[in-house]
Amino acid sequence: MAKLSVRNLEVTGKRVLMRVDYNVPMEEKAGAMVINDVTRIRETLQTIRLLQSKGARLILAAHLGRPDGKREPSMSLQPVADKLAELLGSPVKFVDETVGEKAEAAANALANGEVLLLENVRFQAEEEANDPVFSARLARLADVYVNDAFGAAHRAHASTCGVARILRAWGGQAAAGLLMERELKFLGDELETPARPFVVILGGAKVSDKIKVIDRLLEKADTVLIGGAMAYTFKLAHGGKTGKSLVEKDHTGTALAAEAKAAKRGVQFLLPTDTVVADLKDTGKLNKKGKPVFEPINPRVVEGDIPDGTEGFDIGPATAATYAKVIAGAKTVLWNGPMGMFEDARFAAGTQAVAQALVAATQTSGAKSIIGGGDSVKAINKAGLGDKVTFASTGGGASLEFLEGIPLPGVSALNDV
Ligand code: AMP
């Protein structure tokens, strides 16, 4: 169902409460909290500028970290207000409350086009409880609601869901911001009726994390390419050897059921034919859980089975070449999950090859390439290719749930059109 867009709102002189994702990485330097990556702030600028140009009085709400319902100075949004002002090139007011008299006074004092950032919504325990009284206090700050925080839309919290429903009950509107709109378009509409061939690449650690996505996409895809540690559960299910690799023994049935569904629907379902494996050296150290830490050494490529005592960490070059060829012929590509433990450069080649193939298909044959959030977005950015694909989702858990077909509370709460 299409959602009301911020582009179609009449907001001149109105107070607009906009939920944004300012959960930025921060670190303490010389006694002050410093923002390490401003991407999430920069991404909100277009919707903010649009609302400013429409003469809205803009009130921004966001969470930062996990303060567990208590005021935690290191998680204050004050530094974000300063950074936003710098990026926006216009002043941003800040109020050290989220709701209540002081916040209401600050919201009411805004002139058309002015911007106010509220203090971290999670300083209030009622936020994550989606408390109706707290939601109503938030709703008192505004006439209209906009949600541009796709990454938080899978949470039914007061600022993502409760407040929208209350404002609507009071006669106001609740719309999607420009960022949110793009997420719904690319992860939703574009995949409903994809240009064909539609190739889905799935990787990451666990079959159990991705099975609902696999199951849903098998209804749409022409080809599914599997990589990452989850491929080893498929290998195990076929009676192959997986050495010391990450596997989910309890999910071999799940893996076989996915393959059976693919076969029934005529979906090509490819698994890796070769693997980058490594021996494991005991470092003598223990991890936080008290388990011994092993260092992968002597990485090498094997075909077929993964030898006893070794662990698989990446798809091999033959698999990468096959996958790249399939991607080259695609008109729509969706990618979720890395092909290996890409954080270690020795095991990043498979993920990089897929990233490059995706970019080539986008640039040379006009394929739509959609990166479904989380670690694959990190991987494509690490390869410096983030801006060369059609769309990279800003959501992690939210993207996965959306791709599974689960209605997101933060999206459901918005007006339909
Ligand atoms: P996910 O969040 O399920 O997409 O999984 C991403 C994580 O899976 C990344 O941190 C990767 O390092 C990890 N991963 C992918 N392939 C492997 C592998 N073969 N062995 C261990 N970890 C892997």
Side-chain angles (χ1 to χ4, degrees), residues 72-350:
E72 169 53 57
S74 67
M75 295 178 195
S76 169
L77 283 169
Q78 171 79 68
V80 175
D82 299 340
K83 185 55 75 181
L84 174 61
E86 190 187 312
L87 295 172
L88 196 57
S90 63
V92 173
K93 296 182 176 173
F94 178 74
V95 58
D96 63 358
E97 299 285 346
T98 313
V99 293
E101 269 176 39
K102 201 170 164 189
E104 282 179 39
N108 291 336
L110 290 173
N112 293 4
E114 280 190 340
V115 181
L116 167 73
L117 176 62
L118 303 172
E119 184 53 287
N120 192 342
V121 286
R122 288 198 187 164
F123 282 1
Q124 233 68 45
E126 300 95 322
E127 159 67 4
E128 292 191 55
N130 198 12
D131 179 80
V133 175
F134 180 69
S135 297
R137 295 178 82 197
L138 271 174
R140 268 209 293 276
L141 299 172
D143 309 298
V144 179
Y145 175 81
V146 172
N147 194 343
D148 219 12
F150 180 75
H154 57 319
R155 311 277 186 219
H157 292 171
S159 69
T160 58
C161 179
V163 63
R165 297 208 175 269
I166 291 179
L167 268 176
R168 286 178 59 190
W170 292 351
Q173 289 175 301
L178 299 175
L179 248 191
M180 171 75 89
E181 206 181 9
R182 273 169 62 75
E183 296 277 357
L184 301 181
K185 171 174 150 65
F186 285 106
L187 296 184
D189 304 344
E190 294 279 352
L191 301 184
E192 271 308 308
T193 48
R196 297 190 178 280
F198 176 26
V199 175
V200 174
I201 311 151
L202 291 169
K206 293 179 176 173
V207 175
S208 57
D209 284 349
K210 303 277 161 84
I211 188 60
K212 288 195 197 128
V213 175
I214 298 177
D215 202 52
R216 181 142 188 272
L217 290 170
L218 279 172
E219 314 267 337
K220 302 273 176 196
D222 296 297
T223 303
V224 173
L225 308 176
I226 299 285
M230 85 158 121
Y232 312 138
T233 300
F234 284 90
K235 187 184 267 302
L236 193 66
H238 287 284
K241 284 186 163 191
T242 54
K244 288 190 175 299
S245 306
L246 211 60
V247 286
E248 291 178 285
K249 291 197 179 79
D250 300 348
H251 281 282
T252 50
T254 317
L256 291 177
E259 282 189 80
K261 181 168 176 175
K264 197 167 160 206
R265 300 191 65 87
V267 177
Q268 189 185 20
F269 197 91
L270 299 186
L271 294 166
T273 52
D274 59 346
T275 309
V276 179
V277 302
D279 299 318
L280 299 173
K281 183 179 150 211
D282 193 345
T283 60
K285 294 182 192 146
L286 298 179
N287 67 14
K288 280 184 204 152
K289 290 181 184 160
K291 296 222 169 106
V293 176
F294 292 94
E295 159 77 4
I297 54 166
N298 304 330
R300 58 198 180 275
V301 177
V302 298
E303 277 180 29
D305 277 344
I306 296 176
D308 291 341
T310 71
E311 179 168 348
F313 287 106
D314 193 11
I315 56 172
T319 306
T322 305
Y323 286 8
K325 216 169 172 182
V326 173
I327 295 166
K331 281 281 174 265
T332 309
V333 192
L334 172 71
W335 178 27
N336 185 297
M339 296 291 99
M341 201 174 75
F342 73 101
E343 296 91 339
D344 183 328
R346 297 172 298 168
F347 310 115

Side-chain angles (χ1 to χ4, degrees), residues 371-388:
I371 321 284
D375 273 334
S376 3
V377 174
K378 263 189 225 156
I380 200 142
N381 286 335
K382 205 169 170 191
L385 301 170
D387 56 350
K388 296 194 167 61

